[in-house]
Amino acid sequence: MSDVLPQPQHVASQEGAFFDLGPDTTLVAGEGTGRTERWLRATLGAATGLPLAPAADGGGGAVRLALDPELPAEGYRLVVAPEGVHLTGGDPAGLFWGAQTLRQLLGPDAFRRAPLPDRRWRLPLVRIEDAPRFHWRGLMLDVARHFMPKDGVLRYLDLMAAHKLNVLHFHLTDDQGWRIEIERHPKLTETGSWRSRTKYGHRASPLWEDKPHGGYYTRDDIREIVAYAAERHITVVPEIDVPGHSQAAIAAYPELGNTDVIDTTALSVWDTWGVCPNVLAPTEHTLRFYEGVFEEVLELFPSEFVHIGGDECPKDQWRASATAQARIEELGLTDEDELQAWFIQHFDTWLTARGRRLIGWDEILEGGLAEGAAVASWRGYAGGVAAARAGHDVVMCPEQQVYLNFREDGGEDEPVPIAFVRTLEDVYRFEPVPAELTPQERAHVIGTQANLWTEVTENQDRVDYQLFPRLAAFAEVAWSTLPAPADRDYAGFERRMAAHYRRLDALGVAYRPPTGPRPWQRRPGVLGRPIDGPPPHL
């Protein structure tokens, strides 16, 4: 029982005693438990080869599913007794998270897609009561810089579910690619979804991959991803970047750019990394264009929040643009920073009028926000602290702590090393809630997420390597009620990880081994951007 991850709140076990699952074990599903019933029969049924046949009462030897609103939201109670299993959720999501714990108790082979011969399926006699610390337990997956095919996204939803993560922040657009079909603006994918070549390594690298790269999700692909996530109680929050990180859109529709400053018809989808100087023009046409984009996005994504980016928007073109300067004067603004705030506030108001909530990177604080808007604090803790103190909800994702595209070790064999070293232990000791917040302000920290940017992460194996095992440590931080960072039992977490590596092996995850990268995980000669020393605590 000591190897469950994330760590449950309360565990009481009976050593050396078990309940055996077999061909006669039935599955009794109470009202409202259909999603978990389907998942257990499909996933555990495939791994074990057991039918888990439906039954009305079950008699002896049953797995019983039920809901109990007296339990906390997303909480569950799992009781394994000699006569069977009782899994109860505070709501359907809690029941599903309890099923993830049940799967772990069956051993690593329960994570396979087909049964191995001569396996005995048994559960230790145990009582577990558990509930998450945070409502938002997220992973930001950037599919704009390097496209991830649909099957890869569905795989990551399964991996998130296995770690009790419940928000996929889906970064769909950037300078290097537009990844979502928009019917009224077909060139966004016809032109904007692919680039002719790609920088290999950090932007200072002399290496190029001289072949086209691209891809996008059709509207039906998006519907499938959203539905697949919902079956796993995961919310998909789309990100459509404005007004920066927009060269792919401008390449498709040049009139969106600052046409009085540069020849936007000469722009193509960006093939390198960094902060791009080409940003959206602050015109009525641009606003109407993106309102049309967001109308289709809202149709496809039922999430409460919609992420609009709002970060890293260079102002040089606006300073040189007569059109932008006229807009500043017309609106009575002071400067280009206020112009960006006006741009963000427009979509804040637009989304609010449609019953949605805007979330953006912490730069959106500059200029004021509508009451319901939320902030993803990425440049450190300071943006989140300021947002919470101003009464805005916050998702904590400081780059110095939980950007998992940062390197995990300082060794020379790390593939394309980026930024600070963030070890497994560093992530495990991450604390999302700043100590300086008052209890009322802390209530605005609705959760946390780990972010993975894919500039130098070119395929699924590299994504696996950057995320795992550190995503497992992050999942425990997001779910479990842990002591202060210095007091956390990292040695105990490492012991549980020894079992978890076997689960990841069964799932086919190309994680970074504790001893360092395997030979095929290295990228010798590909330039990165390592930063020495510990990251600042901002």
Side-chain angles (χ1 to χ4, degrees):
M1 244 326 293
S2 61
D3 61 3
V4 172
L5 190 152
Q7 187 176 55
Q9 286 184 355
H10 304 289
V11 179
S13 60
Q14 184 177 335
E15 295 297 328
F18 299 91
F19 167 72
D20 287 305
L21 280 74
D24 296 329
T25 302
T26 56
L27 186 58
V28 181
E31 185 177 354
T33 67
R35 285 183 180 176
T36 297
E37 178 192 13
R38 288 192 294 272
W39 183 87
L40 281 170
R41 193 167 286 120
T43 305
L44 286 190
T48 64
L50 300 176
L52 298 175
D57 57 22
V63 176
R64 295 174 175 83
L65 308 179
L67 299 179
D68 180 357
E70 295 299 316
L71 294 175
E74 293 193 85
Y76 66 91
R77 180 174 61 243
L78 173 61
V79 179
V80 182
E83 67 276 8
V85 178
H86 295 263
L87 177 57
T88 308
D91 51 24
L95 187 75
F96 183 74
W97 307 132
Q100 304 306 313
T101 299
L102 178 68
R103 186 190 196 187
Q104 290 192 19
L105 294 177
L106 283 169
D109 288 337
F111 289 78
R112 298 187 181 275
R113 296 186 183 181
L116 300 182
D118 303 321
R119 288 299 188 269
R120 186 177 186 182
W121 300 104
R122 51 181 10 193
L123 292 164
L125 301 191
V126 67
R127 180 186 180 94
I128 300 175
E129 296 188 16
D130 200 11
R133 179 185 180 191
F134 290 110
H135 172 64
W136 183 303
R137 306 179 302 281
L139 169 65
M140 192 290 299
L141 189 59
D142 168 25
V143 296
R145 273 56 177 270
H146 277 99
F147 178 65
M148 179 178 286
K150 180 192 68 178
D151 284 353
V153 177
L154 301 180
R155 173 178 177 266
Y156 261 94
L157 289 168
D158 281 329
L159 289 170
M160 290 176 63
H163 293 81
K164 300 184 175 78
L165 298 174
N166 69 341
V167 177
L168 174 64
H169 172 174
F170 208 19
H171 183 79
L172 289 163
T173 73
D174 217 297
D175 302 299
Q176 296 85 3
W178 184 284
R179 306 295 179 213
I180 177 173
E181 178 187 22
I182 302 296
E183 284 186 334
R184 72 189 72 184
H185 303 307
K187 291 181 182 178
L188 287 172
T189 46
E190 291 171 3
T191 299
S193 70
W194 68 277
R195 55 183 182 265
S196 61
R197 64 174 187 169
T198 299
K199 175 68 70 172
Y200 190 34
H202 182 254
R203 60 181 175 272
S205 167
L207 303 176
W208 293 89
E209 186 177 41
D210 284 307
K211 66 178 183 180
H213 175 87
Y216 67 93
Y217 310 105
T218 67
R219 289 165 59 85
D220 282 344
D221 289 339
I222 293 293
R223 291 185 180 103
E224 180 183 358
I225 288 167
V226 169
Y228 195 86
E231 278 289 299
R232 287 145 185 82
H233 297 277
I234 295 171
T235 299
V236 184
V237 174
E239 179 177 354
I240 306 294
D241 262 304
V242 296
H245 289 287
S246 297
Q247 182 161 322
I250 298 169
Y253 292 94
E255 66 273 17
L256 296 174
N258 295 283
T259 57
D260 59 345
V261 176
I262 62 164
D263 179 9
T264 56
T265 63
L267 293 178
S268 59
V269 177
W270 216 28
D271 57 15
T272 190
W273 317 123
V275 178
C276 180
N278 298 306
V279 302
L280 297 175
T283 63
E284 289 299 316
H285 173 76
T286 300
L287 296 182
R288 300 292 88 75
F289 183 98
Y290 273 86
E291 286 171 0
V293 169
F294 281 116
E295 282 177 5
E296 295 193 28
V297 167
L298 296 191
E299 178 190 340
L300 295 170
F301 294 91
S303 55
E304 175 185 10
F305 287 99
V306 174
H307 203 296
I308 53 78
D311 64 316
E312 296 180 329
C313 178
K315 310 299 192 299
D316 293 343
Q317 290 184 358
W318 286 355
R319 293 186 185 99
S321 166
T323 300
Q325 293 303 310
R327 176 68 87 175
I328 289 173
E329 182 176 357
E330 172 195 343
L331 297 170
L333 305 177
T334 301
D335 56 18
E336 292 76 19
D337 289 337
E338 288 194 3
L339 184 61
Q340 179 175 345
W342 164 81
F343 203 108
I344 298 300
Q345 288 167 2
H346 175 86
F347 288 102
D348 190 358
T349 302
W350 189 91
L351 287 167
T352 299
R354 287 155 181 81
R356 305 296 186 96
R357 295 178 65 186
L358 178 147
I359 184 170
W361 303 111
D362 53 61
E363 287 96 328
I364 68 171
L365 280 168
E366 300 158 7
L369 291 172
E371 184 177 349
V375 171
S377 186
W378 76 274
R379 291 181 295 179
Y381 288 96
V385 170
R389 287 177 172 167
H392 294 288
D393 287 342
V394 177
V395 175
M396 280 293 186
C397 50
E399 63 170 334
Q400 303 86 349
Q401 311 298 326
V402 288
Y403 266 36
L404 299 188
N405 48 294
F406 287 10
R407 57 193 173 135
E408 188 171 341
D409 189 88
E412 294 183 359
D413 288 334
E414 292 304 310
V416 200
I418 296 297
F420 302 104
V421 171
R422 292 287 82 197
T423 67
L424 182 65
E425 182 172 1
D426 290 331
V427 175
Y428 190 67
R429 298 192 189 279
F430 164 59
E431 173 49 50
V433 181
E436 61 264 38
L437 294 181
T438 67
Q440 183 178 5
E441 292 164 349
R442 289 176 192 171
H444 283 293
V445 181
I446 60 174
T448 183
Q449 71 181 29
N451 293 346
L452 182 76
W453 302 101
T454 60
E455 287 93 335
V456 301
T457 307
E458 74 278 8
N459 57 36
Q460 178 176 287
D461 282 353
R462 283 285 288 117
V463 172
D464 281 2
Y465 182 92
Q466 292 302 131
L467 285 181
F468 289 100
R470 291 182 294 179
L471 191 66
F474 172 80
E476 184 147 308
V477 169
W479 176 278
S480 305
T481 303
L482 300 175
D487 299 328
R488 292 176 187 171
D489 182 11
Y490 180 68
F493 173 76
E494 282 190 306
R495 285 192 297 271
R496 286 181 289 120
M497 276 303 303
H500 200 63
Y501 286 120
R502 296 195 295 274
R503 299 177 192 129
L504 296 178
D505 287 332
L507 287 165
V509 176
Y511 59 84
R512 181 191 186 277
T515 54
R518 297 179 173 95
W520 57 87
Q521 293 175 319
R522 301 166 187 164
R523 297 292 187 275
V526 182
L527 184 67
R529 184 182 61 94
I531 302 175
D532 293 330
H537 191 84
L538 301 175

